[in-house]
Coordinates of all heavy atoms in Angstrom, one line a residue:
L1 N 85.1 112.8 91.0 CA 85.8 112.2 92.2 C 84.7 111.9 93.3 O 84.9 110.9 94.0 CB 86.8 113.2 92.7 CG 88.1 113.3 91.9 CD1 89.0 114.4 92.5 CD2 88.9 112.0 91.9
K2 N 83.7 112.7 93.4 CA 82.7 112.5 94.4 C 82.0 111.2 94.2 O 81.5 110.6 95.2 CB 81.7 113.7 94.4 CG 80.8 113.7 95.6 CD 81.4 114.0 96.9 CE 80.4 114.2 98.0 NZ 81.0 114.4 99.4
K3 N 81.9 110.7 92.9 CA 81.3 109.4 92.7 C 82.1 108.2 93.0 O 81.7 107.1 93.1 CB 80.9 109.4 91.2 CG 80.0 110.5 90.7 CD 79.8 110.4 89.2 CE 79.0 111.6 88.7 NZ 78.9 111.6 87.2
D4 N 83.5 108.5 93.2 CA 84.4 107.4 93.4 C 84.4 107.0 94.9 O 83.9 107.7 95.7 CB 85.8 107.8 92.9 CG 85.8 108.1 91.4 OD1 85.0 107.5 90.7 OD2 86.7 108.8 91.0
N5 N 84.9 105.8 95.2 CA 84.9 105.3 96.6 C 86.1 105.5 97.4 O 86.0 105.8 98.6 CB 84.6 103.8 96.5 CG 83.4 103.4 95.7 OD1 83.6 102.8 94.6 ND2 82.2 103.7 96.1
V6 N 87.3 105.4 96.7 CA 88.5 105.5 97.5 C 89.5 106.4 96.7 O 89.6 106.3 95.4 CB 89.2 104.1 97.7 CG1 90.5 104.2 98.5 CG2 88.2 103.2 98.3
L7 N 90.2 107.3 97.4 CA 91.2 108.2 96.7 C 92.6 107.8 97.0 O 93.0 107.7 98.2 CB 90.9 109.6 97.1 CG 89.4 110.1 96.9 CD1 89.2 111.5 97.4 CD2 89.1 110.0 95.4
L8 N 93.4 107.7 96.0 CA 94.8 107.3 96.2 C 95.7 108.5 96.2 O 95.6 109.4 95.4 CB 95.3 106.4 95.0 CG 94.5 105.1 94.8 CD1 94.8 104.4 93.5 CD2 94.7 104.1 96.0
L9 N 96.7 108.5 97.2 CA 97.5 109.6 97.4 C 99.0 109.1 97.6 O 99.2 108.2 98.5 CB 97.1 110.4 98.6 CG 97.9 111.7 99.0 CD1 97.7 112.7 97.9 CD2 97.4 112.2 100.4
F10 N 99.9 109.6 96.9 CA 101.3 109.2 97.1 C 101.9 110.1 98.2 O 101.5 111.3 98.4 CB 102.1 109.4 95.8 CG 101.9 108.3 94.8 CD1 101.6 108.7 93.5 CD2 102.0 107.0 95.2 CE1 101.3 107.7 92.5 CE2 101.7 106.0 94.2 CZ 101.4 106.3 92.9
N11 N 102.9 109.5 98.9 CA 103.5 110.2 100.0 C 104.4 111.3 99.6 O 105.3 111.1 98.8 CB 104.3 109.2 100.9 CG 104.7 109.7 102.2 OD1 104.7 110.9 102.5 ND2 105.0 108.8 103.1
Y12 N 104.2 112.5 100.0 CA 105.0 113.7 99.7 C 106.0 114.0 100.8 O 106.7 115.0 100.8 CB 104.1 114.9 99.5 CG 103.5 115.0 98.1 CD1 102.9 114.0 97.5 CD2 103.6 116.2 97.4 CE1 102.3 114.1 96.3 CE2 103.0 116.3 96.1 CZ 102.4 115.3 95.6 OH 101.8 115.4 94.3
Y13 N 106.0 113.1 101.8 CA 107.0 113.2 102.9 C 106.9 114.6 103.6 O 105.9 114.9 104.3 CB 108.4 112.9 102.4 CG 108.5 111.5 101.7 CD1 108.6 111.4 100.3 CD2 108.3 110.4 102.5 CE1 108.6 110.2 99.7 CE2 108.3 109.1 101.8 CZ 108.4 109.0 100.4 OH 108.4 107.8 99.8
E14 N 108.0 115.4 103.5 CA 108.0 116.6 104.3 C 107.2 117.8 103.8 O 107.1 118.8 104.5 CB 109.5 117.1 104.5 CG 110.3 116.3 105.4 CD 111.0 115.1 104.6 OE1 110.8 115.0 103.4 OE2 111.8 114.4 105.3
F15 N 106.6 117.6 102.6 CA 105.7 118.7 102.2 C 104.3 118.2 101.9 O 104.1 117.0 101.9 CB 106.3 119.6 101.1 CG 106.4 118.9 99.7 CD1 105.5 119.3 98.7 CD2 107.3 118.0 99.4 CE1 105.6 118.8 97.5 CE2 107.5 117.5 98.1 CZ 106.6 117.8 97.2
T16 N 103.4 119.1 101.6 CA 101.9 118.7 101.6 C 101.4 118.4 100.3 O 100.5 117.5 100.1 CB 101.1 119.9 102.3 OG1 101.8 120.3 103.4 CG2 99.7 119.4 102.6
G17 N 101.8 119.1 99.2 CA 101.1 119.0 97.9 C 99.8 119.7 98.0 O 99.4 120.4 99.0
T18 N 99.0 119.6 97.0 CA 97.7 120.3 96.9 C 96.5 119.4 96.9 O 95.4 119.7 97.4 CB 97.6 121.2 95.7 OG1 97.9 120.4 94.5 CG2 98.7 122.3 95.7
K19 N 96.6 118.2 96.3 CA 95.4 117.4 96.1 C 94.8 116.9 97.4 O 93.6 116.6 97.4 CB 95.7 116.2 95.2 CG 96.7 115.2 95.7 CD 96.8 114.0 94.7 CE 97.4 114.4 93.4 NZ 98.8 114.6 93.4
I20 N 95.6 116.8 98.5 CA 95.1 116.3 99.7 C 93.9 117.1 100.2 O 93.0 116.6 100.9 CB 96.1 116.1 100.8 CG1 95.6 115.3 102.0 CG2 96.7 117.5 101.2 CD1 96.6 115.0 103.0
Y21 N 93.9 118.4 100.0 CA 92.8 119.3 100.5 C 91.5 118.9 99.8 O 90.5 118.9 100.5 CB 93.2 120.8 100.2 CG 94.5 121.2 101.0 CD1 95.7 121.4 100.3 CD2 94.5 121.3 102.3 CE1 96.8 121.8 100.9 CE2 95.6 121.7 103.0 CZ 96.8 122.0 102.3 OH 97.9 122.3 103.0
D22 N 91.5 118.8 98.5 CA 90.2 118.3 97.8 C 89.9 117.0 98.3 O 88.7 116.7 98.5 CB 90.4 118.4 96.3 CG 90.3 119.8 95.8 OD1 89.8 120.7 96.4 OD2 90.9 120.0 94.6
Y23 N 90.8 116.1 98.4 CA 90.5 114.7 98.9 C 89.8 114.7 100.2 O 88.8 114.1 100.4 CB 91.8 113.9 99.0 CG 92.4 113.3 97.8 CD1 92.0 113.7 96.5 CD2 93.3 112.3 97.9 CE1 92.5 113.1 95.4 CE2 93.9 111.6 96.7 CZ 93.5 112.1 95.5 OH 94.0 111.5 94.4
V24 N 90.3 115.5 101.2 CA 89.7 115.5 102.5 C 88.3 116.1 102.4 O 87.4 115.6 103.0 CB 90.6 116.4 103.5 CG1 89.9 116.7 104.7 CG2 91.9 115.6 103.8
A25 N 88.2 117.2 101.6 CA 86.9 117.9 101.6 C 85.8 117.0 100.9 O 84.6 117.1 101.2 CB 87.0 119.2 100.8
L26 N 86.2 116.1 100.0 CA 85.3 115.2 99.3 C 84.7 114.1 100.2 O 83.7 113.5 99.9 CB 85.9 114.6 98.1 CG 86.2 115.5 96.9 CD1 87.1 114.9 95.9 CD2 84.8 115.9 96.2
K27 N 85.3 113.9 101.4 CA 84.9 112.9 102.3 C 84.8 111.5 101.7 O 83.8 110.8 101.8 CB 83.5 113.3 102.9 CG 83.5 114.6 103.7 CD 82.1 114.9 104.3 CE 82.2 116.2 105.1 NZ 80.9 116.5 105.7
R28 N 85.9 111.2 101.0 CA 86.1 109.8 100.5 C 87.4 109.3 101.2 O 88.3 110.0 101.4 CB 86.2 109.8 99.0 CG 84.9 110.2 98.3 CD 83.8 109.2 98.5 NE 82.6 109.6 97.8 CZ 81.5 110.2 98.4 NH1 81.6 110.4 99.7 NH2 80.4 110.5 97.7
K29 N 87.4 108.0 101.5 CA 88.5 107.4 102.2 C 89.8 107.6 101.4 O 89.8 107.3 100.2 CB 88.3 105.9 102.5 CG 89.4 105.3 103.4 CD 89.0 103.9 103.8 CE 87.9 103.8 104.8 NZ 88.3 104.3 106.1
I30 N 90.9 108.0 102.0 CA 92.2 108.2 101.4 C 93.1 107.1 101.8 O 93.2 106.7 102.9 CB 92.7 109.6 101.9 CG1 91.8 110.7 101.5 CG2 94.1 109.8 101.3 CD1 92.2 112.1 102.2
L31 N 93.8 106.6 100.8 CA 94.9 105.7 101.1 C 96.2 106.4 100.7 O 96.5 106.7 99.6 CB 94.8 104.4 100.2 CG 93.5 103.6 100.4 CD1 93.6 102.3 99.6 CD2 93.3 103.2 101.9
L32 N 97.1 106.7 101.8 CA 98.4 107.3 101.6 C 99.4 106.2 101.4 O 99.7 105.5 102.3 CB 98.7 108.2 102.8 CG 100.1 108.9 102.8 CD1 100.1 109.9 101.6 CD2 100.4 109.5 104.1
C33 N 100.0 106.2 100.2 CA 101.0 105.2 99.8 C 102.4 105.8 99.5 O 102.5 106.6 98.7 CB 100.5 104.5 98.5 SG 98.9 103.8 98.6
F34 N 103.4 105.4 100.3 CA 103.5 104.4 101.3 C 104.2 105.0 102.5 O 105.0 106.0 102.3 CB 104.2 103.1 100.9 CG 103.5 102.4 99.8 CD1 104.0 102.4 98.5 CD2 102.4 101.6 100.1 CE1 103.3 101.7 97.5 CE2 101.8 100.9 99.1 CZ 102.2 101.0 97.8
D35 N 104.1 104.4 103.7 CA 104.9 104.9 104.8 C 106.3 104.3 104.9 O 107.2 105.1 105.3 CB 104.1 104.6 106.1 CG 104.7 105.2 107.3 OD1 105.0 106.4 107.3 OD2 104.9 104.4 108.3
N36 N 106.4 103.1 104.6 CA 107.7 102.4 104.7 C 107.8 101.2 103.8 O 108.0 100.1 104.2 CB 108.0 102.0 106.2 CG 109.4 101.6 106.4 OD1 110.3 102.0 105.7 ND2 109.7 100.8 107.5
D37 N 107.7 101.5 102.5 CA 107.8 100.5 101.5 C 109.3 100.5 100.9 O 109.9 101.5 100.7 CB 106.8 100.7 100.4 CG 106.9 99.7 99.3 OD1 106.2 98.6 99.4 OD2 107.6 99.9 98.3

């Protein structure tokens, strides 16, 4: 994942999930999909 450029994340709404923590720590841009689709 550290070699990749952008990390995709689906919206979990009222709860957090787990993958966001590794995503944030890897310092790669996150795209949270979606807010109001």
Side-chain angles (χ1 to χ4, degrees):
L1 287 170
K2 189 69 172 176
K3 300 173 186 176
D4 300 333
N5 308 107
V6 182
L7 304 176
L8 301 170
L9 181 68
F10 286 128
N11 197 338
Y12 278 49
Y13 306 106
E14 289 88 359
F15 73 104
T16 315
T18 56
K19 65 174 66 74
I20 189 172
Y21 297 108
D22 283 338
Y23 276 19
V24 167
L26 286 166
K27 297 183 179 179
R28 295 291 180 260
K29 187 176 286 292
I30 301 168
L31 300 185
L32 178 64
C33 304
F34 295 105
D35 185 51
N36 190 23
D37 180 83

